[in-house]
Amino acid sequence: MGRVYNFSAGPAVLPEEVLKEAADEMLDYRGTGMSVMEMSHRSKAFETIIQEAESDLRELMNIPDNYKVLFLQGGASLQFSMIPQNLMKNGVADYIITGQWAKKAFKEAQKYGKAVAVASSEDKTFSYIPDCSDLPIDDDADYVYICENNTIYGTKFKTLPDTKGKTLVADVSSCFLSEPVDVTRYGVIYGGVQKNIGPAGVVIVIIREDLITEDVLPGTPTMCQYKIHADAGSLYNTPPAYGIYICGKVFKWLKKQGGLDAMKERNEKKAKILYDFLDQSSLFHGTVAKEDRSLMNVPFVTGNADLDAEFVKEAKAAGLENLKGHRSVGGMRASIYNAMPMEGVEKLVEFMKKFEEEHQA
C-alpha cells in the first residue's frame, strides 16, 4: 500500500520531501558517517542543526531579539506545570477554558497557586470561543492563559483576549506556524511539535526574556526552570536531537513554500473546501460556531453514531486514515495541518459526497 492521506490530530502528517530527505541522510548525515540519531549533541554538526533550526524559526515567526527560543521535552503537558512554577510570582493566574487541554492546564496550575477560570465555553461542549473583550482579570494575576487552537473541539481564537496589560501565555500546539503571528503580543507561546511541525518528543517554548528568572516557586525541579534551559541554549541535558533535526527541515520547507503568509492562504483554501461542503451537506454537519472555526482541526458528525463508525471504517478502506473524532466527543475529525496537501482534502470531500449519496434515507 502506498502513502495514505493521514488526517490524524497528532502525531500527524509531515511533508513528504522532508521525510525523503531524512531517509537519504539516515545512515550518513552530510559526510559525518553517522546518523543524526547517533551523534553527540555537543558535536559541531548538531550545534549547526539546532542553531539553524532556531534561526529559521525566528525568521518565519519574526521573533524579536528579546525572546528566547527553547527546544524542550515533556510535551505541552509538562508546560502546564512549568508555566506556574516559573511565572506565578504573585501566586495568581487567570485561565480561559476552551477545551480539554486548557482545562488540564488550569487544574495543574491550581496545585501552585490561585488559578481562576475567567471565561469558559464548557456550557456548550466547547463548541465556541467565549467573548474575551472585557474579562474580570485579577489585579494581581501573573498571566492570562489560553489554548489558542483547540484540537479536539476545532475552535480557534481569531481575536486574542484583552488581558488588561497582563502577560498572555498561549498553547499553540495545533496551530503552530499555520499563519503569521505577532509574537510581541505574548509573554509565552509554546507548543508540542507533533501536530504541525515534527515528530513527537519536542516542545518549543518562545518566551520573553524578562519572564526568565531564578525566582521560581520553591521546590521547582531544575529541569523545570526556564533559566536553566535558556542559559544552556537548550543543551542543559541531551535534547530530543533527532526531533529537533526534523523540525529544522520543516522550517526550511516552510520557508521554501513562501513562509507563513503563504501557509495561511493555503490553509484557508483547504479549510474552505471542507467547510463549504459541510455547510451544504444534508448528512454531515460541523459542530463549531462558524466564526470560531479552526483552520487546522475540523470536527463533524452525521448525528448517528453507527453511521459515523461506518464512515470512519469505509474512509480508512479508501486510504483516508485517522478520521475518528476524539473519544471525548465522538463523530469525526479531519486534521488538515500544513503538510496535508490540497488533494487530500479534495479526496475527503469527494468521498463524503459519495457516502452521503449512498446513505441518504
Side-chain angles (χ1 to χ4, degrees), residues 16-17 35 59 76 80 122 127 161 164 171 181 188 193-194 197 201 225 235 241 264 286 303 321 323 333 340:
E16 205 163 307
E17 65 186 81
S35 171
E59 190 183 321
F80 300 168
E122 193 163 10
S127 58
K164 304 193 175 163
D171 172 355
V181 58
V188 181
V193 304
Q194 72 279 4
I197 302 174
Q225 297 177 29
L235 299 174
K264 181 179 192 204
E321 284 275 356
L323 283 163
R333 170 182 52 180
M340 171 59 67

Side-chain angles (χ1 to χ4, degrees), residues 45-218:
F46 186 73
E47 197 180 306
T48 306
I49 287 170
I50 194 168
Q51 284 171 357
E52 271 190 29
E54 177 175 339
S55 144
D56 287 336
L57 180 62
R58 283 185 177 278
E59 190 183 321
L60 280 166
M61 289 180 75
N62 201 9
I63 299 173
D65 289 345
N66 65 325
Y67 282 74
K68 288 272 194 236
V69 174
L70 308 175
F71 295 95
L72 305 177
Q73 296 173 82
S77 297
L78 184 58
Q79 294 304 310
F80 300 168
S81 314
M82 276 179 80
I83 285 156
Q85 284 170 339
N86 286 267
L87 303 190
M88 263 194 176
K89 314 289 189 215
N90 301 325
V92 182
D94 288 342
Y95 279 70
I96 298 167
I97 316 290
T98 50
Q100 212 94 318
W101 304 113
K103 200 172 169 179
K104 284 185 170 165
F106 169 63
K107 282 198 170 136
E108 198 65 22
Q110 289 174 322
K111 296 176 180 175
Y112 301 101
K114 178 183 160 196
V116 184
V118 288
S120 169
S121 54
E122 193 163 10
D123 61 334
K124 293 183 180 166
T125 329
F126 301 122
S127 58
Y128 70 103
I129 297 288
D131 176 8
C132 297
S133 57
D134 186 18
L135 297 168
I137 304 289
D138 285 69
D139 287 342
D140 46 3
D142 291 299
Y143 59 88
V144 177
Y145 183 101
I146 62 169
C147 180
E148 195 161 319
N149 186 88
N150 297 285
T151 324
I152 296 174
Y153 300 95
T155 57
K156 162 84 164 71
F157 278 83
K158 303 289 168 74
T159 309
L160 291 176
D162 178 357
T163 64
K164 304 193 175 163
K166 303 297 182 189
T167 296
L168 178 64
V169 174
D171 172 355
V172 297
S173 294
S174 51
C175 59
F176 224 155
L177 301 182
S178 60
E179 58 185 2
V181 58
D182 178 0
V183 175
T184 62
R185 298 195 59 191
Y186 306 79
V188 181
I189 304 185
Y190 78 90
V193 304
Q194 72 279 4
K195 297 170 183 296
N196 213 23
I197 302 174
V202 184
V203 59
I204 296 173
V205 176
I206 300 159
I207 177 168
R208 212 173 55 226
E209 279 176 349
D210 61 286
L211 298 171
I212 304 172
T213 67
E214 279 167 351
D215 173 24
V216 296
L217 295 187

